[in-house]
Amino acid sequence: MLKTAVKHPEVLAPAGTPEKLRIAIDYGADAVYIGGDAYGLRSRAGNFSFEEMAAGAKYAHERGAKVYVAANIVAHEQNLAGAGEFYRHVRDAGIDAVIVSDPSLIETAITEAPGLKVHLSTQASATNYETLNFWQHEGLERVVLAREVGIAEIKEMRQHTDVQIESFVHGAMCIGYSGRCVLSNHLSLRDANRGGCAQNCRWKYDLFDIPELGQKRELMGHNAEGKIEKFSMSAVDMSMIEHIPDLVDAGVDSLKIEGRMKTVHYVSTVANVYSTAVRSYCEDPEHYQLKQEWVDELWKVAQRELSTGFYYGTPNEDFQLFGKRRRLPHYAFVGEVLGYDDVTKQVTVQQRNNFGIGDQIEFYGPHFAHHTQIVKDLFNDENEPIERAPHAMEIVHFTCEQPVKPGDFLRAQSKL
């Protein structure tokens, strides 16, 4: 039977700063999630003031996008005071929903900020449709599934509930169940469940066998090259770009990208790829084909190896970081286009990383626009010829062989 166009799920991107919010939406995201000055799990992200929330919501709504605020800490007694006022400010700023895990904060949001929609955070570990129906009955419109849920389970959930389902499709995976981990508390005195995760699972560890008191024997791990290597508990990152049809057909309403701490290079690239792939499948599922260029594009911003997480079974040792990297990104973000002169073919760029004459530069923009060229000339903001642009955020000009637009980005081989 021929497939007709299918419902387009939301592509939900991270936005750790107002700049990243703008970029994520410009590069195709249907919605973004941000953090406020309280109640979020990323205390070191560029979290938003209420004024910045209002400005971000206005920018998004003018472009048909939505903004959600993550307020998903596990609250202790001292965290509860002022929550109602916080949620009312979020609502009045025009935010579309808050993402919450703590039942007391959920109740506060519903009762003290009427009209503010609430989404259940992945931290709440929703893994079955009975749980989804419970939270819908409590007044929530969406549940972000635990990252331990598989495709087959999502299909079953969809058959038994009509609450919105959101699921992570790309980004870092946590060694703790649904992100609930106490390693950081014990080893760094930073509470991971209240915004202070030190990512201790990414550290390297010696491993010892202690069969009896006073005895200690180091257990040697060997990497792929046979060399001794310390152990870690670090999971590889997730990427579901090769399985968009499975996600859409299973009934996922929102495809969530992890990474509020990530760079504008990451946010723009990943939002661009997933929005392009999702649009391609939903418009013509019968003739949809995964494009290798989408996969290759994601590897340009990858920090670790990539896997499908728990979607198709329990992860094995290949889903852990150990030994020689199987694949490395080779690109660096080098600048943003500020303007382009159609007559002189000169592009004006705000530099972000060192580049210069003779380097191969790749331009990329929204809707998967790309072209590559060699930098043949380079001028500073006083129009003086220079060989390289080594100073962060400096304004430079050079000849661009194809038209580009403000907001397009530049990347280059990371040897620079």
Side-chain angles (χ1 to χ4, degrees):
M1 183 173 66
L2 293 177
K3 289 185 178 180
T4 58
V6 297
K7 179 183 175 183
H8 189 300
E10 174 184 87
V11 174
L12 176 57
T17 64
E19 179 190 30
K20 294 173 189 175
L21 179 149
R22 172 183 62 82
I23 289 167
I25 293 170
D26 290 350
Y27 276 74
D30 302 297
V32 297
Y33 61 102
I34 66 176
D37 292 331
Y39 304 106
L41 285 179
R42 292 292 182 269
S43 60
R44 290 174 293 150
N47 292 316
F48 287 59
S49 66
F50 295 123
E51 291 76 15
E52 289 171 331
M53 287 184 190
K58 181 175 185 294
Y59 186 89
H61 295 162
E62 289 174 347
R63 291 157 179 80
K66 295 181 178 181
V67 180
Y68 311 131
V69 169
N72 50 348
I73 66 167
V74 176
H76 290 234
E77 293 296 340
Q78 62 268 33
N79 302 125
L80 298 176
E85 182 180 8
F86 174 82
Y87 288 129
R88 286 191 292 274
H89 281 305
V90 169
R91 177 198 61 191
D92 296 343
I95 296 301
D96 295 280
V98 287
I99 307 168
V100 192
S101 65
D102 191 291
S104 65
L105 293 178
I106 290 173
E107 184 72 11
T108 299
I110 292 173
T111 58
E112 298 195 30
L116 178 61
K117 295 179 179 178
V118 181
H119 297 173
L120 186 73
S121 169
T122 189
Q123 259 68 31
S125 301
T127 58
N128 58 77
Y129 69 80
E130 290 90 344
T131 295
L132 272 61
N133 286 330
F134 168 84
W135 286 113
Q136 185 179 33
H137 184 265
E138 291 297 305
L140 276 63
E141 74 161 10
R142 178 183 295 186
V143 172
V144 186
L145 297 181
R147 300 191 202 188
E148 296 76 23
V149 173
I151 284 287
E153 293 174 302
I154 297 176
K155 290 180 179 178
E156 184 175 2
M157 291 177 185
R158 185 75 290 163
Q159 293 173 4
H160 294 89
T161 182
D162 60 358
V163 71
Q164 293 179 23
I165 292 176
E166 181 178 308
S167 193
F168 279 92
V169 298
H170 195 93
M173 295 287 285
C174 180
I175 197 70
Y177 198 93
S178 296
R180 295 179 299 178
C181 176
V182 294
L183 277 177
S184 184
N185 303 54
H186 285 294
L187 300 179
S188 306
L189 299 180
R190 287 166 46 177
D191 192 339
N193 298 297
R194 286 191 283 176
C197 181
Q199 298 194 25
N200 306 74
C201 60
R202 308 293 186 194
W203 300 356
K204 294 286 188 178
Y205 294 90
D206 289 319
L207 187 64
F208 297 93
D209 176 29
I210 307 178
E212 296 182 13
L213 185 64
Q215 296 181 2
K216 185 169 73 172
R217 179 173 62 88
E218 186 172 10
L219 300 177
M220 299 297 186
H222 293 79
N223 63 23
E225 297 176 327
K227 296 180 180 178
I228 294 174
E229 180 170 322
K230 294 183 178 181
F231 294 88
S232 79
M233 292 169 279
S234 185
V236 303
D237 290 354
M238 177 191 289
S239 176
M240 286 291 286
I241 190 60
E242 298 183 32
H243 306 280
I244 295 298
D246 285 354
L247 292 162
V248 177
D249 295 348
V252 178
D253 297 286
S254 180
L255 310 182
K256 188 169 192 171
I257 299 164
E258 182 275 338
R260 280 198 290 132
M261 301 286 289
K262 301 289 182 63
T263 65
V264 294
H265 184 205
Y266 171 91
V267 170
S268 59
T269 299
V270 180
N272 210 1
V273 170
Y274 276 90
S275 63
T276 300
V278 169
R279 183 173 60 252
S280 177
Y281 177 69
C282 292
E283 289 176 355
D284 189 5
E286 184 66 26
H287 298 97
Y288 173 82
Q289 286 187 331
L290 172 73
K291 294 184 178 180
Q292 186 60 39
E293 63 184 10
W294 299 339
V295 178
D296 294 341
E297 188 81 355
L298 292 177
W299 277 105
K300 294 175 182 178
V301 294
Q303 292 184 314
R304 307 175 184 96
E305 287 83 23
L306 300 175
S307 77
T308 54
F310 287 81
Y311 278 110
Y312 300 102
T314 303
N316 59 25
E317 64 275 10
D318 293 331
F319 289 46
Q320 291 294 113
L321 287 178
F322 182 75
K324 184 179 180 181
R325 291 285 299 270
R326 294 187 286 273
R327 187 167 179 177
L328 289 168
H330 295 290
Y331 286 82
F333 177 53
V334 297
E336 178 179 1
V337 173
L338 300 182
Y340 180 76
D341 190 315
D342 291 309
V343 177
T344 64
K345 296 187 181 299
Q346 287 281 304
V347 61
T348 301
V349 170
Q350 184 180 64
Q351 182 262 28
R352 302 292 183 96
N353 254 311
N354 188 339
F355 75 97
I357 294 176
D359 293 336
Q360 180 170 281
I361 297 294
E362 179 185 355
F363 287 88
Y364 71 96
H367 309 297
F368 222 71
H370 284 73
H371 86 266
T372 302
Q373 71 166 71
I374 301 296
V375 178
K376 297 179 179 178
D377 54 26
L378 192 61
F379 304 89
N380 63 21
D381 205 25
E382 283 73 44
N383 211 33
E384 300 168 335
I386 56 177
E387 289 292 319
R388 301 200 68 78
H391 307 299
M393 306 299 284
E394 66 177 312
I395 307 300
V396 297
H397 315 270
F398 61 92
T399 301
C400 185
E401 297 169 358
Q402 296 185 35
V404 291
K405 298 177 180 179
D408 287 356
F409 290 133
L410 296 75
R411 59 164 74 101
Q413 294 294 320
S414 57
K415 64 182 181 181
L416 303 175

